[in-house]
PDB file of all heavy atoms in Angstrom:
ATOM      1  N   ALA B  32      88.349  91.896  74.323  1.00 88.00           N
ATOM      2  CA  ALA B  32      88.342  91.706  75.782  1.00 88.00           C
ATOM      3  C   ALA B  32      89.503  92.457  76.422  1.00 88.00           C
ATOM      4  O   ALA B  32      89.348  93.152  77.431  1.00 88.00           O
ATOM      5  CB  ALA B  32      88.439  90.217  76.120  1.00 88.00           C
ATOM      6  N   PHE B  33      90.684  92.346  75.822  1.00 89.00           N
ATOM      7  CA  PHE B  33      91.879  92.991  76.374  1.00 89.00           C
ATOM      8  C   PHE B  33      91.701  94.504  76.427  1.00 89.00           C
ATOM      9  O   PHE B  33      91.916  95.142  77.460  1.00 89.00           O
ATOM     10  CB  PHE B  33      93.064  92.609  75.485  1.00 89.00           C
ATOM     11  CG  PHE B  33      94.392  93.063  75.990  1.00 89.00           C
ATOM     12  CD1 PHE B  33      95.024  92.387  77.019  1.00 89.00           C
ATOM     13  CD2 PHE B  33      95.017  94.162  75.430  1.00 89.00           C
ATOM     14  CE1 PHE B  33      96.255  92.802  77.477  1.00 89.00           C
ATOM     15  CE2 PHE B  33      96.242  94.573  75.884  1.00 89.00           C
ATOM     16  CZ  PHE B  33      96.867  93.901  76.902  1.00 89.00           C
ATOM     17  N   GLU B  34      91.267  95.059  75.272  1.00 90.00           N
ATOM     18  CA  GLU B  34      91.122  96.516  75.220  1.00 90.00           C
ATOM     19  C   GLU B  34      90.024  96.988  76.156  1.00 90.00           C
ATOM     20  O   GLU B  34      90.146  98.012  76.828  1.00 90.00           O
ATOM     21  CB  GLU B  34      90.820  96.956  73.781  1.00 90.00           C
ATOM     22  CG  GLU B  34      92.014  96.818  72.841  1.00 90.00           C
ATOM     23  CD  GLU B  34      91.574  96.557  71.417  1.00 90.00           C
ATOM     24  OE1 GLU B  34      90.371  96.711  71.142  1.00 90.00           O
ATOM     25  OE2 GLU B  34      92.422  96.193  70.594  1.00 90.00           O
ATOM     26  N   GLU B  35      88.955  96.198  76.216  1.00 89.00           N
ATOM     27  CA  GLU B  35      87.838  96.593  77.047  1.00 89.00           C
ATOM     28  C   GLU B  35      88.217  96.584  78.518  1.00 89.00           C
ATOM     29  O   GLU B  35      87.798  97.446  79.295  1.00 89.00           O
ATOM     30  CB  GLU B  35      86.680  95.617  76.795  1.00 89.00           C
ATOM     31  CG  GLU B  35      85.346  96.077  77.285  1.00 89.00           C
ATOM     32  CD  GLU B  35      84.905  97.390  76.691  1.00 89.00           C
ATOM     33  OE1 GLU B  35      85.343  97.715  75.578  1.00 89.00           O
ATOM     34  OE2 GLU B  35      84.146  98.099  77.369  1.00 89.00           O
ATOM     35  N   GLU B  36      89.030  95.630  78.931  1.00 89.00           N
ATOM     36  CA  GLU B  36      89.450  95.592  80.326  1.00 89.00           C
ATOM     37  C   GLU B  36      90.247  96.828  80.689  1.00 89.00           C
ATOM     38  O   GLU B  36      90.069  97.412  81.758  1.00 89.00           O
ATOM     39  CB  GLU B  36      90.309  94.356  80.583  1.00 89.00           C
ATOM     40  CG  GLU B  36      89.510  93.124  80.825  1.00 89.00           C
ATOM     41  CD  GLU B  36      90.375  91.897  80.743  1.00 89.00           C
ATOM     42  OE1 GLU B  36      91.589  91.998  80.967  1.00 89.00           O
ATOM     43  OE2 GLU B  36      89.800  90.835  80.456  1.00 89.00           O
ATOM     44  N   ILE B  37      91.137  97.235  79.764  1.00 90.00           N
ATOM     45  CA  ILE B  37      91.925  98.425  80.059  1.00 90.00           C
ATOM     46  C   ILE B  37      91.009  99.644  80.110  1.00 90.00           C
ATOM     47  O   ILE B  37      91.157 100.516  80.979  1.00 90.00           O
ATOM     48  CB  ILE B  37      93.033  98.601  79.004  1.00 90.00           C
ATOM     49  CG1 ILE B  37      93.954  97.394  79.049  1.00 90.00           C
ATOM     50  CG2 ILE B  37      93.812  99.867  79.232  1.00 90.00           C
ATOM     51  CD1 ILE B  37      95.014  97.411  78.027  1.00 90.00           C
ATOM     52  N   HIS B  38      90.053  99.670  79.224  1.00 90.00           N
ATOM     53  CA  HIS B  38      89.094 100.777  79.231  1.00 90.00           C
ATOM     54  C   HIS B  38      88.352 100.828  80.559  1.00 90.00           C
ATOM     55  O   HIS B  38      88.194 101.884  81.169  1.00 90.00           O
ATOM     56  CB  HIS B  38      88.129 100.574  78.071  1.00 90.00           C
ATOM     57  CG  HIS B  38      87.011 101.550  78.051  1.00 90.00           C
ATOM     58  ND1 HIS B  38      87.213 102.899  77.904  1.00 90.00           N
ATOM     59  CD2 HIS B  38      85.672 101.384  78.174  1.00 90.00           C
ATOM     60  CE1 HIS B  38      86.054 103.520  77.929  1.00 90.00           C
ATOM     61  NE2 HIS B  38      85.105 102.637  78.096  1.00 90.00           N
ATOM     62  N   GLN B  39      87.918  99.646  81.054  1.00 88.00           N
ATOM     63  CA  GLN B  39      87.216  99.594  82.335  1.00 88.00           C
ATOM     64  C   GLN B  39      88.120 100.041  83.465  1.00 88.00           C
ATOM     65  O   GLN B  39      87.678 100.729  84.400  1.00 88.00           O
ATOM     66  CB  GLN B  39      86.729  98.161  82.613  1.00 88.00           C
ATOM     67  CG  GLN B  39      85.608  97.704  81.731  1.00 88.00           C
ATOM     68  CD  GLN B  39      84.334  98.465  81.994  1.00 88.00           C
ATOM     69  OE1 GLN B  39      84.128  99.012  83.069  1.00 88.00           O
ATOM     70  NE2 GLN B  39      83.481  98.525  80.995  1.00 88.00           N
ATOM     71  N   THR B  40      89.388  99.626  83.399  1.00 88.00           N
ATOM     72  CA  THR B  40      90.324 100.060  84.444  1.00 88.00           C
ATOM     73  C   THR B  40      90.421 101.572  84.457  1.00 88.00           C
ATOM     74  O   THR B  40      90.366 102.204  85.515  1.00 88.00           O
ATOM     75  CB  THR B  40      91.718  99.459  84.175  1.00 88.00           C
ATOM     76  OG1 THR B  40      91.598  98.062  83.977  1.00 88.00           O
ATOM     77  CG2 THR B  40      92.646  99.747  85.319  1.00 88.00           C
TER      78      THR B  40
END
Side-chain angles (χ1 to χ4, degrees):
Chain B
F33 186 78
E34 289 151 12
E35 195 58 26
E36 278 166 25
I37 299 177
H38 174 62
Q39 290 293 336
T40 309

